[in-house]
Amino acid sequence: MKFIAWFVRRPVATLLLLLSAVLSGLMALPLLPVSDLPDVDLPVISVSASNAGGSPEVMARTVAAPLERHLGNIAGVTQMMSTSTRGETSISLGFELGRNLNGAARDAEAAIRAARRDLPTTPGSDPQYHRANPNATPVLILAVTPGMQSMSRLYELVNTTLRPMLLQVQGVWDVTLMGSSAPAVRVEMNPLLFFKYGMGFENLRAALASANAHTPKGVIDMGDRRYQLAVNDQAEHAAAYRDLVIAYKNGRPIRLRGVATVTDSMQDVNAAAFFDGKPALTLMVRAQPGANLVGIVDAMKARLPQLRTLMPTGADIAVARDGSAVIRSSLHHTLVTLLMIDATHLKAHRTAASVLKKGLFPAISDAQKAV
């Protein structure tokens, strides 16, 4: 009772203490990490690998099986779940509770390196791993509309210019680009013509591989001079592939345009995304564990004017989904509740001060002493 009486008899000091606590909380509020989920370090690691054109059965036999054999030798693995789809394989590793996740990630990386010699050597087949993140849901989705630009060229621009700038924002874990794929030359073969010339698909594969070989050309020594050979033989567009000689029959060259249709396209023609009913590219921003999601969204929106200056004519970038809206609403209600509690405390303090002024507090103390 004497402890409470000290605050009641000193209303000015009590008010100053209360105001200082409120001001300290308001000053610390913007510095607190804000997220919709707690920072939980789950002992789960996901491994993914791709092989373009592989059926689920081929992916399970040639990609998933070698990875499972090596990943299963990691100490502390309690659960392993593998899923193989068309061209994709995903393996989820669950570890026993208390297992250091950084150590488990190093073991997973070592197992992947050991499994590479048993995996296909086709492009895109190198496995990748990442730790489970409870904040894997995108906190912000940006939509880039192409305007008059082709989707493949826009993808290349966004992937090489805009995406690195977004990854530089503090607290960003990953920025996933969806809705299109990188530019590529697509070759559609005519099997009847291959049969007519007595050729196999291996002739075409070898010819395309030689046209994309990045190998040193050598040097020429002439007396005291040495000349480095540099040949511009890297084909990048469909026009450069159409005249490619893939075989010789009866002393006559057979060119690619005679047995196949060659067009400028993209790696995955089935990738698509839409914004307001129009084709678009989507940038899905994911935050690091424990990061301030509201601060990340504010920093991203502040960079939008700068990003628009890098876009080609007619293209635009806009916010398709803001995942911080729910967090902001929760923070607002929390702040209102805290202010209401503070107001209630101030009202109770005024009531106690009025009681003290009327002389009722000493009477209550005397009554307690008499009892």
Side-chain angles (χ1 to χ4, degrees), residues 11-155:
V12 177
T14 303
L15 183 60
L16 292 176
L17 288 175
L18 183 59
L19 291 177
S20 63
V22 173
L23 291 176
S24 299
L26 293 176
M27 293 175 61
L29 185 62
L31 303 178
L32 294 176
V34 182
S35 177
D36 53 347
L37 294 174
D39 185 13
V40 180
D41 201 11
L42 298 176
V44 177
I45 291 180
S46 298
V47 180
S48 60
S50 62
N51 191 6
S55 64
E57 294 79 10
V58 172
M59 295 298 298
R61 184 176 65 256
T62 62
V63 178
L67 286 174
E68 290 174 356
R69 286 197 300 269
H70 290 84
L71 293 173
N73 295 329
I74 300 177
V77 175
T78 59
Q79 183 181 9
M80 181 186 301
M81 184 175 62
S82 175
T83 303
S84 296
T85 59
R86 181 177 175 271
E88 297 287 340
T89 290
S90 177
I91 301 176
S92 178
L93 298 174
F95 294 86
E96 58 187 11
L97 295 178
R99 179 75 154 86
N100 183 270
L101 197 55
N102 292 327
R106 289 191 295 268
D107 293 341
E109 184 178 6
I112 291 174
R113 286 199 302 267
R116 278 199 175 101
R117 63 176 179 268
D118 301 329
L119 297 175
T121 58
T122 54
S125 60
D126 288 341
Q128 297 180 350
Y129 74 94
H130 62 273
R131 295 181 295 179
N133 182 10
N135 290 323
T137 303
V139 64
L140 183 69
I141 300 179
L142 300 175
V144 182
T145 52
M148 301 301 295
Q149 191 80 2
S150 64
M151 292 297 293
S152 58
R153 298 302 173 189
L154 182 66
Y155 180 94

